[in-house]
Amino acid sequence: LTEAVWRRLSNVSSIYGNPYVVIAEVKRLYVDFNRTQACAYDDPNAAPYYAEYHAKVREFIDEMRVRFPNSPKFLFSIHGTAGVAPDTAAVYIGTNNGNTGDPDTSIKTLIARDPNTLVFLRNLFLSQGYGTQPSAPDEVESYAGGYMVDTYGSQNVDGIEAFCLEV
């Protein structure tokens, strides 16, 4: 799933080069990289995988902040929606309630630049044939984003624009 999204983004982002990608090759059942370390796994042997994953994400974010200091930078934490009752959405967008003006939003600096950011993002998915939720400003709470959005979002001094995409 993440590779397919990465390939698609690579086609539309050629002006900046290929997007960075970090893919967990461990099933979420064993290590949930979208949780704090204390909650991410039961087996201590998983600790190095967790640490390596987050170190790579941090490395890429830091590199993007240096390479593109005045341009928006995005993190998409991509998850599958297996087990979700089918509806019209193909993509659930989570930003820790980014369009409510919440100071803790993971897309704080992007909203400050352009309050219509989420409208643009929804329209981008719609133009590619993907329905989105939320279709209105309020987010579906269970898809508002987790550890990745909280840790790496632009509400943090060293963060970037972070979205949770449930596909």
Side-chain angles (χ1 to χ4, degrees), residues 29-110:
L29 173 67
Y30 302 109
V31 183
D32 189 342
F33 297 96
N34 196 32
R35 301 280 180 258
T36 63
Q37 188 168 5
C39 301
Y41 50 84
D42 293 324
D43 184 345
N45 292 321
Y49 299 102
Y50 183 90
E52 179 183 6
Y53 180 89
H54 284 283
K56 185 55 78 174
V57 170
R58 172 50 56 200
E59 175 188 330
F60 285 162
I61 288 172
D62 292 345
E63 186 175 321
M64 284 187 283
R65 289 172 55 85
V66 169
R67 285 185 63 198
F68 310 108
N70 300 314
S71 299
K73 294 154 283 296
F74 302 97
L75 179 143
F76 295 105
S77 179
I78 301 169
H79 307 272
T81 56
V84 174
D87 62 19
T88 58
V91 179
Y92 291 85
I93 303 169
T95 62
N96 197 13
N97 298 311
N99 49 356
T100 64
D102 183 340
D104 290 330
T105 179
S106 66
I107 57 171
K108 181 178 180 177
T109 58
L110 198 59

Side-chain angles (χ1 to χ4, degrees), residues 22 62 138 166:
V22 179
D62 292 345
D138 295 328
E166 301 278 352

Side-chain angles (χ1 to χ4, degrees), residues 5-48:
V5 173
W6 176 75
R7 279 192 298 277
R8 189 80 170 230
L9 286 173
S10 295
N11 291 335
V12 298
S13 68
S14 60
I15 190 168
Y16 297 108
N18 282 334
Y20 297 84
V21 64
V22 179
I23 299 175
E25 295 188 1
V26 177
K27 290 188 180 280
R28 198 171 184 184
L29 173 67
Y30 302 109
V31 183
D32 189 342
F33 297 96
N34 196 32
R35 301 280 180 258
T36 63
Q37 188 168 5
C39 301
Y41 50 84
D42 293 324
D43 184 345
N45 292 321

Side-chain angles (χ1 to χ4, degrees), residues 84-165:
V84 174
D87 62 19
T88 58
V91 179
Y92 291 85
I93 303 169
T95 62
N96 197 13
N97 298 311
N99 49 356
T100 64
D102 183 340
D104 290 330
T105 179
S106 66
I107 57 171
K108 181 178 180 177
T109 58
L110 198 59
I111 293 293
R113 281 186 202 172
D114 182 356
N116 293 313
T117 295
L118 290 179
V119 172
F120 168 78
L121 186 60
R122 287 186 192 105
N123 287 339
L124 178 66
F125 283 116
L126 289 170
S127 73
Q128 298 297 311
Y130 299 106
T132 64
Q133 286 290 344
S135 56
D138 295 328
E139 290 184 356
V140 177
E141 185 176 336
S142 59
Y143 298 126
Y147 180 76
M148 299 292 289
V149 166
D150 291 341
T151 302
Y152 302 114
S154 65
Q155 76 277 16
N156 301 301
V157 173
D158 61 350
I160 62 174
E161 316 307 334
F163 297 86
C164 175
L165 298 181

